[in-house]
Amino acid sequence: MKSGDLVIRRPDDGTDEAGIGTICLVEDAYVVVEWSDGQRTEIPLPAPSEVEVASIGSLRYRSLRDGESLQREFAESPVSVLVTLLGERGGTASLGQLRLWTRQLKLAGECDGTWWAGVPKELDADPRLTKVRRGTQWKLLDLPAEHADVEAAVEADPLSSSAPEIRMDSHATGPDGTERAVGRLNEQASKTPMLPGNPAEEAEGHDAHIREPSGADLRLSSEERGRYEAALRRQEAVVEELQAERDRLGLRIADLQAELERSDGQADVLRQQAADLSSNLVEVNRRAGALADKVQRREGELRQVRQGGRAVSQSQLRQARMGGLRVLAAVLAEVADHVVHGTDIDGSGAADALYRRALTQAVAANVTDIGIAGEETGFDPVRHRFTTAGSAEWVVVERPGFAWQPGTPQEVVLVPALVRAAGQ
């Protein structure tokens, strides 16, 4: 791993959403990765199995950074891309493995089986590849011999390449305190005449052919002195400019500090205002809550009043209706008694017809008769009443009664039927 490589980490939940990051720091035991969301994490070395590394310049790296450019390159020269892919994936692969790898890199999405059927011929014709394993796989050959010789030569003599000579001038101080260039050491030494040396020193390995420069050599000409003075003035001008820039920066820093102090003061005022607003908001919320509770209580009271008024109205309406129905039932009872015990003067049966019509109208109001005159039935203490004191299980209806069916299974007896004991 090195800085700039991409790191692909698959999530633990098995989804396809992979995290992609860039290596920004490489240490001995870990690397620091900056992810696409800006966060940085450490990954230990060696990297875990769920972490994939894409080196800079690799096809995997290019597919993540510039997939469209790689797709265009594959469309223009697919064999070249396949050879590169073969070299990156171990050097040996079958046609199925190449198809799988290109699918992972999203390169051959539009290439069908017919297109892939012509790829083996192009791979066989490529001089960089050879068939292995009975012709089922292709293997990437080694580099040509001339390339290997060049690399070996470069490794054997890494300093053979020409490089610009660096001029190293030495300076010496003269008796007048000025400096002069004495040229490159090797060149100066080559121009210095050899002095007779001490044989003992030569035997001990001392270099006697280098002598100290004399005072005459250290003296500067007027032209050289002028050049150095001009250079010194330029340096002084640069120093003055730097000092002026330093002063300007100092003033700018002072202004920024003053602005920072003003900003701090404004921030304190804003914080105090925010605190006051927060306290006011708390008080407003408290009052709003109290008003909401009061409104809810008022609504509850109003609902109860409405329900109570509705109940009273319905009760009064029921009572009024019951009263009218009882009057109707009493009239019907009288008419029935008249029909049962009375006779028409002309014998036309008009009373019976009137009773039938009245009973029909009563049925329309859910008022029905209880029993028929002369009918024998079982005694019901709610629907029957004896004409005289007594009791019996079976009775005979002397006068029919009337009941109201309010639409519920339980009826309301308006006028009970008059009965007598059977057999009397």
Side-chain angles (χ1 to χ4, degrees), residues 53 103 216 227 292 311 369 392 406:
V53 179
R103 190 183 307 114
R227 286 200 303 269
D369 54 348

Side-chain angles (χ1 to χ4, degrees), residues 38-119:
Q39 296 185 358
R40 293 189 176 187
T41 58
E42 295 181 0
I43 296 180
L45 294 178
S49 59
E50 66 271 11
V51 173
E52 178 186 356
V53 179
S55 302
I56 296 178
S58 64
L59 295 180
R60 180 61 168 156
Y61 181 93
R62 294 177 60 190
S63 68
L64 295 174
R65 287 302 190 195
D66 191 5
E68 295 182 357
S69 175
L70 184 59
Q71 291 173 1
R72 289 194 298 270
E73 181 178 345
F74 181 79
E76 296 173 358
S77 180
V79 175
S80 178
V81 175
L82 291 177
V83 171
T84 304
L85 181 60
L86 190 62
E88 293 180 356
R89 297 297 179 98
T92 304
S94 64
L95 183 63
Q97 289 174 323
L98 291 175
R99 293 185 65 175
L100 176 61
W101 294 340
T102 53
R103 190 183 307 114
Q104 292 174 352
L105 295 178
K106 300 179 180 179
L107 297 180
E110 299 180 356
C111 300
D112 54 5
T114 304
W115 184 88
W116 280 103
V119 172

Side-chain angles (χ1 to χ4, degrees), residues 115 173 349 384:
W115 184 88
T173 304
H384 299 153

Side-chain angles (χ1 to χ4, degrees), residues 200-211:
E201 293 179 355
E202 292 178 358
E204 294 175 358
H206 291 282
D207 294 334
H209 64 280
I210 301 176
R211 67 180 180 86

Side-chain angles (χ1 to χ4, degrees), residues 338-374:
H338 179 73
V339 170
V340 173
H341 298 95
T343 58
D344 293 336
I345 299 175
D346 55 359
S348 61
D352 183 64
L354 177 62
Y355 172 71
R356 295 301 174 187
R357 288 197 301 271
L359 185 59
T360 301
Q361 296 296 328
V363 171
N366 296 327
V367 176
T368 59
D369 54 348
I370 301 175
I372 302 174

